[in-house]
Amino acid sequence: MDRFEFQIQQRKVCVYPSSTKGPIVYMHSFMDNGDAFCRQLKTRCPDHTLVVISHLHWDDDLTPWYCPPLSKEDRPCGGKADDWLQTLTHEIVPQVEDGLNEKPTYRILTGYSLAGLFAIYAMYHTDLFQRAGSMSGSFWFPDFGAYIQHHEMCIQPDRLYFSLGTKEACTPHPVLRTVQANTERLVKYYQEKGIKTRLEWNPGNHYQEAEQRMVRGIMWLLSGEDQS
């Protein structure tokens, strides 16, 4: 499996180049599992370069503003997404694409949970990405819906993908159980703006089949066709 990797600010970046010029998928991953994703995607999708970014400070790097702990066992979210986006767009993307020696046909930004929240938030602060995917995105995050209503994306994306587990809202926590209504509201909002937007439902809660949900979303973003 062809790949090259590097580190920036102790975050790991693994690049799996395409054999021909094509799109690039930038994916934030909680696990260091790029090889597994690459094996699935390369056999099921149009040719593309996959970039897997891991070893992040998950609750800080990917959250747009401070959020207090949701429980006694939880930790606060640091709200450092703007800083991380600067690193992504000014350091990681240039180093990746300099290593490939050619510009992509288009770029996709995607992720799961808080990384899915970040993928949508990033569209309001950079025009580098033409498509975005939020798999089981953390749209319970306080005030995110209000933020969307009062800001405009830097460019209108070609496609947006959202997914959610059918049981994700089945929680006694009053903040977390807003995720379904908030996600559905966002999808409707983007569809009304004329953006090709898909919401896919998956059986189970937030933690079930995360890798498979990521693969299905990326497949749709790359092909633009419904996938079973």
Side-chain angles (χ1 to χ4, degrees), residues 25-160:
V25 178
Y26 287 88
M27 181 181 77
H28 290 97
S29 177
F30 187 76
M31 305 293 289
D32 188 3
N33 54 356
D35 288 0
F37 275 108
C38 185
R39 279 192 292 270
Q40 292 196 58
L41 291 171
K42 292 291 187 177
T43 59
R44 300 167 70 181
C45 296
D47 202 14
H48 65 281
T49 292
L50 176 65
V51 181
V52 180
I53 306 165
S54 59
H55 299 186
L56 293 104
H57 300 160
W58 199 257
D59 294 331
D60 296 334
D61 292 338
L62 302 174
T63 52
W65 44 80
Y66 177 83
C67 176
L70 298 182
S71 68
K72 292 181 180 179
E73 297 77 27
D74 201 9
R75 65 180 299 274
C77 295
K80 297 181 179 179
D82 291 343
D83 293 339
W84 176 245
L85 185 60
Q86 285 291 308
T87 301
L88 175 64
T89 58
H90 288 77
E91 297 184 51
I92 292 176
V93 169
Q95 188 162 335
V96 167
E97 296 179 14
D98 285 348
L100 297 172
N101 296 318
E102 60 183 25
K103 296 298 182 184
T105 52
Y106 60 88
R107 301 181 185 91
I108 296 173
L109 181 62
T110 188
Y112 196 92
S113 193
L114 286 174
L117 177 80
F118 176 84
I120 300 303
Y121 177 75
M123 301 296 288
Y124 290 82
H125 294 269
T126 180
D127 60 2
L128 275 181
F129 303 98
Q130 290 74 43
R131 305 180 185 186
S134 178
M135 293 68 165
S136 290
S138 298
F139 296 114
W140 54 262
F141 200 83
D143 301 322
F144 192 75
Y147 180 88
I148 297 304
Q149 292 291 330
H150 292 92
H151 295 80
E152 293 290 335
M153 289 182 168
C154 293
I155 59 169
Q156 177 147 316
D158 299 331
R159 299 185 181 113
L160 296 175

Side-chain angles (χ1 to χ4, degrees), residues 163-226:
S163 70
L164 207 62
T166 54
K167 296 183 179 180
E168 290 201 49
C170 300
T171 170
H173 197 289
V175 175
L176 294 177
R177 69 170 173 250
T178 65
V179 67
Q180 178 173 330
N182 290 348
T183 302
E184 291 175 328
R185 195 175 296 116
L186 280 177
V187 169
K188 182 180 179 182
Y189 175 76
Y190 292 129
Q191 288 174 338
E192 289 176 347
K193 282 184 167 288
I195 301 170
K196 187 172 184 179
T197 305
R198 176 174 172 83
L199 171 59
E200 184 168 7
W201 292 97
N202 301 284
N205 61 29
H206 184 68
Y207 301 99
Q208 290 182 238
E209 298 186 340
E211 184 174 307
Q212 291 87 337
R213 294 183 193 184
M214 286 292 298
V215 169
R216 282 197 294 271
I218 294 171
M219 287 173 63
W220 186 83
L221 287 164
L222 284 167
S223 68
E225 299 173 355
D226 291 347

Side-chain angles (χ1 to χ4, degrees), residues 7-19:
Q7 287 194 350
I8 288 183
Q9 299 178 13
Q10 298 181 321
R11 281 69 160 183
K12 183 178 179 181
V13 181
C14 288
V15 183
Y16 302 84
S18 64
S19 57

